[in-house]
């Protein structure tokens, strides 16, 4: 339960940090007008509803993963639980997802400055690395099943496939949006506000899913339990 609370706190901290960065946590009863965000020229413009909708969606996604992790720890207390080994390929997959997120941050900066010629390769690299991550996850599944760690053999296996599969589906959804944004970038010579917003939303989504994956990776590796045990030792 303590680990679950840590996971929930980490997800909440990520959401609050992003909301604070976008000034979506401002008190409307103390301000006049709509929620404002700085535009390219440094002036103020209303926050797009689609961005607010994305943060609401990410909050729901974070809650879903938190509930799944809570169920993971409740089930892990059973006697028939044997931890699933972490394939070494997951380290490569983690690096690919982190580099994809970094490439999208690069694309976000280039879109902000209207540099389409640099935006295109950044988006292409981010897209390719995300595809590599998904392909690596499928290969990790194949390695585990070949080693005998099938879905119904052990509850730990079931949770591993469920959580990584759920995360993979969210990555796939973000990949569809990123692919559309990449095609739009290659079809225009000007970084319009709409294109810049699409790049920004893709970057935010990618950063969030990277954070979720890192927390899941820590969970699968068993480091979360070690961290909780260390906290208990320090507090005792």
């Amino acid at each position: 339960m303590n680990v679950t609370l840590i996971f929930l706190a980490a997800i909440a901290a990520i959401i609050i940090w992003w909301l604070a960065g976008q000034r979506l946590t401002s008190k409307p009863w103390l301000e006049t007008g709509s929620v404002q965000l700085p535009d390219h020229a440094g002036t103020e413009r209303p926050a797009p509803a689609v961005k607010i909708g994305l943060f609401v969606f990410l909050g729901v996604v974070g809650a879903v993963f938190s509930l799944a992790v809570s169920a993971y720890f409740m089930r892990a207390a059973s006697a028939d639980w044997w931890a699933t080994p972490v394939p070494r390929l997951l380290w490569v997959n983690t690096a690919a997802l982190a580099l994809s997120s970094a490439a999208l941050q690069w694309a976000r900066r280039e879109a902000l400055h209207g540099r389409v010629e640099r935006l295109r390769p950044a988006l292409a690299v981010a897209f390719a690395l995300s595809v590599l991550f998904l392909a690596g996850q499928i290969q990790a599944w194949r390695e585990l099943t070949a080693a005998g760690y099938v879905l119904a053999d052990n509850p730990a296996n079931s949770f591993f496939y469920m959580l990584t599969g759920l995360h993979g589906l969210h990555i796939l959804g973000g990949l569809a949006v990123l692919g559309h944004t990449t095609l739009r970038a290659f079809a225009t010579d000007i970084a319009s506000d709409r294109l810049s917003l699409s790049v920004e939303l893709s970057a935010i989504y990618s950063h969030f899913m990277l954070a979720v994956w890192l927390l899941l990776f820590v969970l699968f590796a068993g480091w979360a339990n070690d961290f909780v045990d260390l906290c208990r030792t320090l507090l005792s």
Side-chain angles (χ1 to χ4, degrees):
M1 182 61 67
N2 290 335
V3 178
T4 303
L5 293 176
I6 293 173
F7 187 91
L8 286 168
I11 293 293
I14 294 167
I15 296 174
I16 293 173
W17 175 65
W18 275 329
L19 289 174
Q22 302 299 331
R23 295 189 62 210
L24 296 178
T25 53
S26 60
K27 299 180 177 60
W29 57 87
L30 298 179
E31 300 179 1
T32 59
S34 58
V35 179
Q36 302 291 317
L37 290 174
D39 63 8
H40 294 198
T43 58
E44 300 293 321
R45 59 181 174 85
V50 65
K51 181 182 291 188
I52 300 176
L54 175 63
F55 286 119
V56 173
F57 175 74
L58 293 181
V60 174
V61 172
V64 170
F65 276 102
S66 298
L67 290 174
V69 169
S70 177
Y72 178 96
F73 280 104
M74 292 176 62
R75 190 66 179 85
S78 303
D80 60 344
W81 181 277
W82 296 281
T84 304
V86 177
R88 293 182 179 179
L89 184 58
L90 290 190
W91 289 94
V92 179
N93 298 347
T94 301
L97 191 61
L99 290 174
S100 177
S101 185
L104 271 173
Q105 186 62 32
W106 168 31
R108 184 179 182 180
R109 184 178 65 252
E110 300 303 335
L112 181 65
H113 292 88
R115 296 190 286 256
V116 180
E117 68 282 354
R118 297 183 180 181
L119 171 63
R120 293 168 180 164
L123 290 175
V125 168
F127 184 87
L129 288 171
S130 294
V131 171
L132 179 62
F133 172 80
L134 288 178
Q137 294 294 82
I138 295 174
Q139 180 60 31
W141 280 12
R142 296 180 61 182
E143 291 181 1
L144 284 174
T145 54
Y149 296 95
V150 296
L151 182 66
D153 184 58
N154 176 15
N157 298 346
S158 301
F159 271 96
F160 178 86
Y161 290 123
M162 181 194 70
L163 288 172
T164 55
L166 183 62
H167 181 266
L169 287 176
H170 283 86
I171 292 293
L172 186 62
L175 198 58
V177 177
L178 177 58
H180 183 261
T181 302
T182 304
L183 291 176
R184 287 174 55 189
F186 277 90
T188 183
D189 294 328
I190 301 175
S192 63
D193 290 339
R194 186 176 179 181
L195 177 59
S196 297
L197 178 61
S198 297
V199 173
E200 181 180 4
L201 295 180
S202 294
I204 292 173
Y205 186 84
S206 176
H207 298 339
F208 183 86
M209 295 313 301
L210 171 62
V212 171
W213 171 249
L214 291 176
L215 291 173
L216 291 178
F217 188 70
V218 167
L219 177 70
F220 297 140
W223 299 335
N225 291 325
D226 295 339
F227 177 75
V228 171
D229 293 339
L230 177 60
C231 291
R232 289 175 177 172
T233 302
L234 293 176
L235 293 176
S236 61

